[in-house]
């Protein structure tokens, strides 16, 4: 395979989020751009229509003022006397029907304030007569300004014969201001689309994050389950392997080996059941199996069943009844004991662990399990992160303490850690863990 790093399931889900965000943004951008293009075209047609309507009124009025004399010659006297044909420029042109020559200017206002290029005026007049309909085009004035030209044809009374002459009235308006407004509208729409696309991408990112949150939560719970399973099953699996090797060598009675193997298998089954129960509780599929529980008897049973050979474990209890899930509390106490036996002594020395169960709190509504060892104590600066996975600070995975902390909080209690000298009546060093459970079950 190539050197590309394989993505983890979480990485693939996060990549999916980016793809969803990009798709959301692209879809929004396509819709916004389409709407913006339509709006720009509509605005472009609108300002041209407005100018054309005004020019159409001028040309229609001018055509109504044109007269023909007895010799069928065009007479512009009424037009000149009635309308101002100089501002904007209004030009009357004659166009031969036989197209033997180009359009001829019959009248053009004196000193026009806005003058179109003569070639543009003649060409537009010829086009209007040829099509027999009004024609409008964009052009430029003599001094280079943008203008809109409009031509409306008219026809001589004697429409018979090719020797007659028809004509057209051409006028124009300056389009600079209208074009500036159109450009301003275009830029505003462009900027608005850009802002909306960015906002759409941000909203899509937030929505996609909410959409994949359950998947990330499920993946996190799956990884936590696998890590907890590996942590809790490592020791019994190693013991099972050691028993199998002992049986193969024939160093012990086979019946005893099988009996111990059965006990380990039962214990592993219980661990698996506990892990599955914890996974279901964390996902909300199952609730805690709360029932009245003698916490002092449970602690004594955990100590009695634990492999404490070569270590000193003392237990001092008073009767304490809590409403809790017995299996989960047993696992929490066992993890605290295992942590003390593993880390609560110097290398090569026996561990000295003290258990104490008591009622505490206001009106003795809280039961505490105190586990204190005489080991090297807690590493500096780890008290706040001691119960996080893989943050034990002592070279272990830290999963045992994290599970114990989770059990405490699931019952409405807490698990705290401190140096053994703090509040220790025995004066021993090491570490001190206090598991607190409400008597009424939280």
């Amino acid at each position: 395979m190539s050197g590309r790093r394989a993505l983890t399931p979480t990485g693939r889900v996060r990549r999916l989020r980016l793809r969803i965000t990009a798709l959301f943004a692209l879809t929004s951008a396509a819709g916004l751009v389409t709407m913006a293009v339509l709006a720009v075209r509509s605005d472009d047609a609108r300002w041209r229509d407005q100018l054309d309507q005004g020019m159409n009124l001028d040309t229609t009025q001018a055509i109504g003022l044109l007269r023909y004399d007895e010799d069928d010659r065009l007479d512009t006297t009424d037009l000149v006397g009635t309308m101002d044909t100089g501002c904007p420029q209004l030009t009357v042109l004659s166009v031969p029907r036989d197209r033997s020559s180009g359009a001829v200017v019959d009248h053009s206002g004196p000193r026009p304030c806005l003058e179109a290029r003569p070639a543009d005026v003649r060409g537009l007049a010829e086009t209007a007569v040829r099509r027999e309909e009004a024609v409008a085009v964009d052009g430029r004035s003599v001094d280079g300004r943008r203008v809109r030209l409009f031509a409306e044809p008219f026809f001589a009374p004697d429409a018979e014969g090719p020797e007659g002459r028809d004509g057209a009235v051409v006028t124009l308006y300056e389009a600079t201001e209208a074009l500036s407004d159109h450009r301003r509208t275009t830029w505003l729409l462009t900027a608005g689309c850009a802002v909306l696309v960015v906002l759409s991408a941000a909203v899509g990112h937030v929505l996609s994050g909410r959409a994949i949150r359950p998947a990330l939560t499920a993946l996190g719970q799956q990884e936590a389950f696998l890590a907890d399973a590996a942590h809790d099953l490592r020791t019994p699996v190693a013991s099972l392997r050691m028993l199998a090797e002992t049986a193969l060598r024939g160093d012990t009675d086979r019946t005893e080996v099988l009996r111990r193997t059965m006990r380990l298998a039962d214990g592993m089954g219980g661990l698996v059941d506990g892990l599955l129960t914890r996974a279901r509780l964390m996902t909300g599929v199952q609730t805690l199996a709360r029932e009245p529980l003698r916490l002092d008897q449970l602690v004594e049973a955990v100590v009695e069943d634990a492999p404490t050979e070569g270590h000193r474990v003392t237990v001092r209890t008073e009767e304490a009844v809590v409403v809790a899930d017995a299996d989960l509390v047993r696992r929490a106490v066992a993890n605290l004991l295992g942590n003390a036996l593993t880390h609560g002594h110097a290398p090569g020395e026996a561990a000295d662990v003290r258990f104490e169960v008591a009622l505490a709190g206001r009106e003795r509504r809280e039961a505490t399990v105190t586990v204190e060892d005489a080991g090297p104590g807690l590493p500096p600066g780890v008290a706040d992160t001691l119960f996080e996975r893989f943050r034990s600070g002592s070279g272990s995975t830290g999963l045992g303490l994290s599970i114990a902390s989770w059990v405490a909080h699931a019952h409405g209690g807490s698990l705290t850690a401190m140096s053994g000298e703090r509040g220790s009546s025995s004066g021993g060093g090491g570490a001190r863990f206090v598991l607190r459970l409400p008597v009424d079950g939280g």
Side-chain angles (χ1 to χ4, degrees):
M1 294 181 64
S2 63
R4 293 176 60 187
R5 177 184 294 180
L7 287 176
T8 63
T10 301
R12 287 195 292 269
V13 172
R14 295 189 183 279
R15 173 176 287 186
L16 176 62
R17 179 186 184 184
L18 295 178
R19 290 178 177 176
I20 293 174
T21 301
L23 180 61
F24 193 87
L26 288 175
T27 304
S28 301
L32 290 171
V33 169
T34 302
M35 293 178 61
V37 170
L38 293 176
V40 169
R41 290 183 176 179
S42 175
D43 184 72
D44 186 59
R46 177 191 58 77
W47 73 262
R48 285 182 169 85
D49 288 342
Q50 288 179 347
L51 291 181
D52 291 350
Q53 289 175 8
M55 291 186 290
N56 185 36
L57 291 176
D58 291 343
T59 57
T60 301
Q61 183 181 4
I63 290 174
L65 295 173
L66 294 177
R67 299 286 184 268
Y68 285 88
D69 58 17
E70 295 177 354
D71 297 327
D72 293 333
R73 289 179 299 184
L74 188 65
D75 183 3
T76 60
T77 304
D78 291 345
L79 172 64
V80 174
T82 304
M83 292 184 64
D84 180 7
T85 59
C87 190
Q89 182 187 33
L90 193 146
T91 307
V92 181
L93 302 96
S94 296
V95 181
R97 291 177 187 161
D98 58 4
R99 306 295 188 267
S100 58
S101 60
V104 178
V105 176
D106 290 319
H107 171 76
S108 180
R111 297 184 303 278
C113 60
L114 183 64
E115 183 179 4
R117 292 182 292 194
D120 294 342
V121 174
R122 286 194 296 269
L124 189 62
E126 293 171 359
T127 301
V129 172
R130 183 175 65 254
R131 295 182 181 179
E132 297 184 0
E133 64 180 3
V135 180
V137 296
D138 295 326
R140 289 191 178 274
S141 64
V142 173
D143 56 2
R145 287 180 287 176
R146 296 290 298 271
V147 295
R148 181 77 172 168
L149 292 96
F150 186 89
E152 185 173 354
F154 63 90
F155 303 95
D158 56 337
E160 302 295 334
E163 69 280 358
R165 299 177 68 87
D166 296 321
V169 176
V170 180
T171 187
L172 74 159
Y173 273 84
E174 185 176 0
T176 303
E177 184 177 352
L179 281 171
S180 298
D181 292 339
H182 176 65
R183 291 194 188 97
R184 189 179 303 110
T185 301
T186 302
W187 279 111
L188 288 175
L189 286 173
T190 302
C193 284
V195 172
L196 289 176
V197 168
V198 173
L199 290 177
S200 174
V203 171
H205 193 65
V206 173
L207 293 178
S208 61
R210 292 184 177 181
I212 69 170
R213 190 175 301 165
L216 291 175
T217 301
L219 287 174
Q221 292 170 348
Q222 179 184 13
E223 292 176 358
F225 172 79
L226 294 176
D228 291 348
H231 172 268
D232 283 348
L233 294 176
R234 186 181 296 112
T235 298
V237 168
S239 300
L240 192 61
R241 179 181 179 84
M242 183 179 64
L243 282 175
E245 292 175 350
T246 301
L248 287 175
R249 291 196 304 267
D251 294 341
T252 186
D253 180 63
R254 188 177 298 273
T255 302
E256 179 62 22
V257 170
L258 291 175
R259 187 180 296 110
R260 293 171 62 185
T261 300
M262 287 295 296
R263 286 201 300 268
L264 282 173
D266 291 340
M268 292 173 64
L271 287 176
V272 172
D273 290 341
L275 287 170
L276 292 174
T277 299
R278 178 180 181 273
R280 290 193 292 268
L281 290 171
M282 291 183 66
T283 56
V285 176
Q286 178 179 333
T287 58
L288 293 175
R290 299 177 186 270
E291 58 183 1
L293 171 67
R294 282 285 299 272
L295 186 60
D296 54 313
Q297 293 179 354
L298 182 143
V299 170
E300 291 172 350
V302 169
V303 173
E304 183 179 352
D305 295 339
T308 59
E309 293 83 0
H311 301 291
R312 294 184 298 276
V313 181
T314 58
V315 180
R316 186 175 64 184
T317 66
E318 66 172 297
E319 182 177 334
V321 179
V322 296
V323 179
D325 189 305
D327 292 335
L328 294 180
V329 174
R330 183 179 292 106
R331 292 191 63 227
V333 174
N335 285 349
L336 291 175
L337 176 58
N339 179 76
L341 293 177
T342 303
H343 306 292
H345 61 91
E349 296 184 3
D352 184 5
V353 182
R354 296 177 176 83
F355 265 88
E356 181 179 356
V357 179
L359 292 174
R362 189 174 295 178
E363 298 181 359
R364 295 167 64 86
R365 303 300 298 172
E366 183 179 71
T368 62
V369 178
T370 303
V371 183
E372 187 173 3
D373 61 58
L378 299 177
V382 302
D384 294 335
T385 60
L386 193 61
F387 303 122
E388 299 177 9
R389 283 186 180 85
F390 314 115
R391 297 293 296 274
S392 69
S394 57
S396 68
T397 63
L399 286 171
L401 292 179
S402 71
I403 294 172
S405 178
W406 180 88
V407 171
H409 286 90
H411 288 83
S414 64
L415 177 62
T416 57
M418 63 192 74
S419 297
E421 296 177 352
R422 296 181 181 177
S424 174
S425 59
S426 62
R432 186 181 191 189
F433 295 85
V434 181
L435 173 66
R436 293 179 175 85
L437 297 173
V439 172
D440 57 4

